[in-house]
């Protein structure tokens, strides 16, 4: 058995413990990946508070990147030494959802009932699961062959790590789901790490105006630096988008914030027959109340998205090319680098909205 260090969440709202654990034996269809970089996602603040159904002891971190160090006996197409992106969603290729072209809903993740695979054992004998089937807050990940995607690029590890969640969700929401077209007016509700990628993607898609909506002044400033033509507070959003559209509202609205109020605002600032894409989540038991006339009578398309509806084998190479040529800029979004031992500090900074993407570097 192989020993590694991991940040283990032993109980909700208890500090992470960085400890040495023993990896379980590698199953024939799984892969060991030496972690190189993992972003701390704001979703894991929610998981820390016990609002997303995780079961401690667990290793959080649902998107990552690294180098393959061992493959199971039945693994094909992945070799030791390859760089891989490990996203938050597998693509098994044979379940119902993969079969209809929707691997973002792959049964290998969504039909396991939240019972994530055990990947390690603590020194006191407890089995530890990998949240999201990844477990990226650890030196080594034990993942399904369907959740490790080889890449050929010289992009830095920190940038590659964002391709499993932030980039795919934000860019995919714009290009795959909203399908923004040239000359449209786009609003992005939430200028965190996902929203800022959506702002950049809307600009690339040719949007005439991109309005970023966020209560934090610093995040509005960053949104403007990466392509937003306006950045406003939530209370000013309706007036802003109507002022750009002769009173109609935005053609496409991307919600990338999470709170129910943000999702309601996304609907309210869209135009009749417009498109609203919802991607945020703050509580697994949360509910959203929406006004019935805009929802049922005004012919809006209200769509949810998970991981930007990406197909990793198709979209990952395209997003890498955009990053390589500078069409997508990670510099303003990677706001800090951390060691694994810093995890409780990283958690606190994320909860206080001081980081956009803080990345653990191994």
């Amino acid at each position: 058995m192989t020993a590694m260090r991991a940040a283990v969440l032993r109980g909700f709202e208890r500090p992470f413990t960085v400890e040495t654990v023993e990896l379980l034996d590698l199953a024939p269809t799984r892969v060991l990946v030496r972690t190189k970089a993992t972003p701390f996602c704001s979703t894991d603040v929610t998981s820390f508070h016990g609002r997303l159904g995780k079961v401690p002891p667990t290793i959080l971190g649902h998107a990552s990147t690294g180098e393959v160090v061992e493959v199971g006996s039945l693994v094909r197409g992945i070799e030791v030494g390859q760089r891989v992106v490990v996203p938050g969603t597998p693509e098994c290729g044979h379940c119902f959802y993969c079969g209809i072209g929707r691997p973002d809903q792959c049964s290998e993740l969504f039909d396991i009932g939240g019972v994530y695979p055990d990947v390690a054992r603590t020194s006191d004998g407890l089995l530890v699961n990998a949240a999201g089937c990844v477990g990226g807050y650890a030196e080594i990940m034990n993942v399904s062959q369907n959740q490790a995607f080889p890449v050929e690029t010289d992009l830095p590890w920190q940038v590659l790590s964002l391709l499993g969640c932030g980039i795919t969700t934000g860019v995919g929401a714009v290009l795959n789901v909203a399908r923004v077209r040239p000359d449209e007016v786009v609003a992005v509700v939430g200028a965190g790490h996902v929203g800022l990628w959506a702002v950049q993607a809307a600009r690339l898609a040719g949007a005439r105006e991109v309005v970023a909506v966020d209560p934090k002044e610093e995040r509005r400033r960053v949104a403007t630096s990466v392509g937003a033509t306006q950045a406003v507070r939530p209370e000013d959003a309706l007036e802003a988008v109507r002022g750009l559209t002769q009173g109609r509202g935005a053609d496409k609205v991307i919600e990338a914030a999470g709170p129910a109020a943000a999702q309601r605002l996304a609907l309210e600032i869209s135009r009749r027959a417009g498109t609203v894409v919802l991607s945020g989540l703050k509580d697994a038991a949360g509910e959203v109340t929406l006004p019935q006339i805009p929802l049922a009578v005004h012919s809006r398309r209200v769509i949810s998205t998970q991981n930007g509806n990406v197909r990793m084998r198709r979209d990952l190479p395209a997003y890498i090319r955009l990053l390589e040529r500078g069409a997508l800029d990670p510099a303003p979004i990677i706001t800090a680098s951390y060691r694994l031992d810093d995890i409780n500090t990283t958690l606190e900074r994320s909860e206080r909205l001081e980081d956009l993407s803080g990345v653990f570097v191994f």
Side-chain angles (χ1 to χ4, degrees), residues 71-304:
V71 298
S73 59
L74 298 180
V75 171
R76 301 293 181 268
I78 301 173
E79 299 178 358
V80 171
Q82 283 184 312
R83 299 178 110 197
V84 291
V85 170
V86 183
T89 311
E91 293 185 10
C92 74
H94 59 261
C95 72
F96 171 83
Y97 293 97
C98 286
I100 62 170
R102 292 300 305 273
D104 58 287
Q105 296 296 316
C106 180
S107 291
E108 190 168 302
L109 175 65
F110 286 102
D111 288 342
I112 61 175
V115 181
Y116 299 116
D118 293 323
V119 295
R121 191 182 300 273
T122 65
S123 60
D124 53 345
L126 298 176
L127 287 171
V128 183
N129 64 76
C133 300
V134 176
Y137 302 158
E139 292 178 328
I140 297 174
M141 295 173 284
N142 178 334
V143 299
S144 165
Q145 64 180 341
N146 299 321
Q147 208 158 348
F149 295 85
V151 294
E152 295 184 8
T153 178
D154 294 326
L155 287 172
W157 290 112
Q158 287 175 282
V159 176
L160 281 179
S161 73
L162 304 182
L163 281 160
C165 176
I167 295 174
T168 44
T169 302
V171 177
V174 170
L175 302 183
N176 294 341
V177 187
R179 298 185 179 180
V180 172
R181 296 177 296 183
D183 207 41
E184 289 187 320
V185 173
V186 176
V188 178
V189 179
H193 71 117
V194 171
L196 292 171
W197 291 114
V199 166
Q200 295 192 55
R203 181 201 68 212
L204 286 176
R208 171 167 56 89
E209 301 282 350
V210 182
V211 181
V213 182
D214 199 279
K216 286 186 69 67
E217 181 179 1
E218 175 60 19
R219 294 191 170 195
R220 297 197 300 270
R221 184 195 64 77
V222 177
T224 302
S225 76
V226 298
T229 54
Q230 288 190 43
V232 300
R233 300 174 303 171
E235 56 266 37
D236 300 325
L238 184 59
E239 181 181 359
V241 296
R242 284 183 174 174
L244 295 169
T245 58
Q246 297 179 315
R248 291 188 302 274
D251 301 301
K252 306 285 173 65
V253 183
I254 312 297
E255 178 274 322
Q263 297 182 331
R264 182 183 176 108
L265 177 63
L267 180 76
E268 291 171 343
I269 65 175
S270 65
R271 64 164 168 80
R272 299 196 308 275
T275 297
V276 179
V277 178
L278 307 178
S279 72
L281 176 64
K282 278 295 182 184
D283 189 329
E287 296 184 355
V288 182
T289 301
L290 299 174
Q292 197 166 22
I293 291 293
L295 183 66
V297 177
H298 289 167
S299 298
R300 286 169 173 83
R301 297 173 67 239
V302 181
I303 313 169
S304 70

Side-chain angles (χ1 to χ4, degrees), residues 49-70:
H49 291 293
R51 298 180 190 136
L52 288 182
K54 304 298 189 289
V55 180
T58 185
I59 302 171
L60 299 180
H62 56 267
S64 188
T65 189
E67 183 178 303
V68 177
V69 294
E70 187 178 346

Side-chain angles (χ1 to χ4, degrees), residues 5 7 16 18 40 336-350 355 359-361:
R5 296 175 76 242
F16 289 91
V18 180
F40 188 93
S337 297
Y338 296 103
R339 299 174 300 115
L340 190 61
D341 291 309
D342 299 323
I343 188 160
N344 290 302
T345 299
T346 311
L347 168 72
E348 292 168 3
R349 287 180 56 85
S350 181
D355 280 332
V359 180
F360 294 111
V361 178

